[in-house]
Amino acid sequence: MSTTPAPRVALFVTCLVDAFRPSVGFAALRLLEEAGCEVEVPAAQTCCGQPSWNSGDREGARRMARRVIEAFEGYDHVVAPSGSCAATVARDYPAMFEPGDPWRARAEALAARTHEIVSFLTDVLGLSEVSARLDAAATYHDSCSGLRALGVKAQPRKLLASVQGLELREMSDPEACCGFGGTFCVKYPEISGAMVADKAEDIAATGADLVLAGDLGCLMNMAGKLSRQGRAIRARHVVEVLAGMTDGPAIGEATAADARDARKGKAT
């Protein structure tokens, strides 16, 4: 019997997961616990500050960074089901504070312990397989922040290869941006729209049933475009598949409660 204490992990839920797709947070929790982690979800967590930082609101970003640092200090690791948010903490937080500022050292310490979830499972914990099963064909989109800032590329494919019944079909250009880019899609909607249209074509060309990714913003963007095009391709976060939690509606699909509410609305 191992006497090594379980790593104490703080789960950074992220804004989009909290607001739009809580099932991703529960799937992340299941994966971490099954991997032997002691997981906590700090109640004081808030936005990582990425929208403010990318929009030039440096002081606003620093305020949020200080709160996140305070909420997540004291854990062995901080893990997020988002390459985008994880990259903000791991790459941008130290740059938010000047050398010599006490917050700089605290930001650097937190950055060194912050990981995207699939990278954490494979690169830190050494996980090579999961026990999930899903009879489907899927394609994987490499989200920009996870890929370019954190080097997340082979890790999700490694774990997906262990999912029984799942066939992974690669796009011709899985690394191409989907056009979401946070505020980019708001500032440049026509360019963003053209980019996600190209991505939807690439996804459809694989003949896959599912498109998977590690960032919810990208998934919501791609799911919306695929739905508007009338394509029967569902979108899910990769952790939902790895955790075996695919019984519920895919991203953008109506739940039974939504359907009931819609019928009530028509009746009144």
Side-chain angles (χ1 to χ4, degrees):
M1 178 184 246
S2 174
T3 58
T4 303
R8 188 164 171 256
V9 173
L11 178 61
F12 195 161
V13 175
T14 81
C15 297
L16 291 182
V17 170
D18 182 48
F20 296 104
R21 192 73 173 174
S23 59
V24 172
F26 289 110
L29 178 64
R30 175 181 289 185
L31 286 170
L32 291 168
E33 289 184 335
E34 288 182 347
C37 299
E38 177 187 332
V39 187
E40 296 182 29
V41 183
Q45 65 180 284
T46 184
C47 176
C48 67
Q50 180 189 158
S52 296
W53 182 251
N54 290 346
S55 299
D57 179 10
R58 297 314 200 217
E59 185 50 43
R62 279 189 285 271
R63 284 196 301 270
M64 283 184 273
R66 293 187 193 101
R67 181 166 181 177
V68 169
I69 292 168
E70 289 177 333
F72 285 90
E73 283 180 320
Y75 294 93
D76 297 326
H77 304 280
V78 176
V79 176
S82 164
S84 179
C85 298
T88 297
V89 178
R91 295 288 180 267
D92 295 335
Y93 270 22
M96 292 184 185
F97 305 99
E98 295 294 329
D101 184 335
W103 284 99
R104 174 70 171 257
R106 296 171 72 175
E108 289 173 344
L110 184 65
R113 302 194 307 276
T114 299
H115 316 270
E116 183 273 339
I117 186 168
V118 182
S119 175
F120 177 71
L121 292 170
T122 57
D123 300 337
V124 178
L125 298 184
L127 192 69
S128 60
E129 61 182 16
V130 294
S131 59
R133 180 179 186 90
L134 181 63
D135 294 313
T139 191
Y140 190 85
H141 164 69
D142 295 298
S143 300
C144 293
S145 292
L147 174 68
R148 294 170 176 84
L150 300 177
V152 178
K153 173 73 175 181
Q155 300 94 325
R157 290 169 172 82
K158 179 179 182 178
L159 293 186
L160 287 170
S162 72
V163 176
Q164 298 180 52
L166 185 68
E167 176 191 355
L168 191 61
R169 301 179 182 178
E170 292 287 358
M171 286 177 253
S172 63
D173 192 0
E175 298 182 5
C177 179
C178 73
F180 175 65
T183 57
F184 176 85
C185 64
V186 177
K187 292 180 179 179
Y188 308 102
E190 292 184 359
I191 298 174
S192 175
M195 293 171 72
V196 74
D198 289 343
K199 175 60 71 171
E201 290 295 333
D202 203 2
I203 293 168
T206 67
D209 310 303
L210 292 169
V211 57
L212 309 176
D215 267 286
L216 190 53
C218 302
L219 285 161
M220 291 169 65
N221 190 37
M222 294 183 293
K225 189 63 173 180
L226 291 166
S227 175
R228 291 190 295 275
Q229 291 179 341
R231 300 187 189 274
I233 303 172
R234 308 170 87 190
R236 290 192 181 276
H237 195 288
V238 64
V239 298
E240 295 178 298
V241 172
L242 296 177
M245 295 174 64
T246 56
D247 292 337
I251 293 168
E253 289 185 337
T255 65
D258 293 333
R260 287 194 300 270
D261 290 344
R263 288 195 295 271
K264 288 179 181 178
K266 289 180 180 179
T268 57

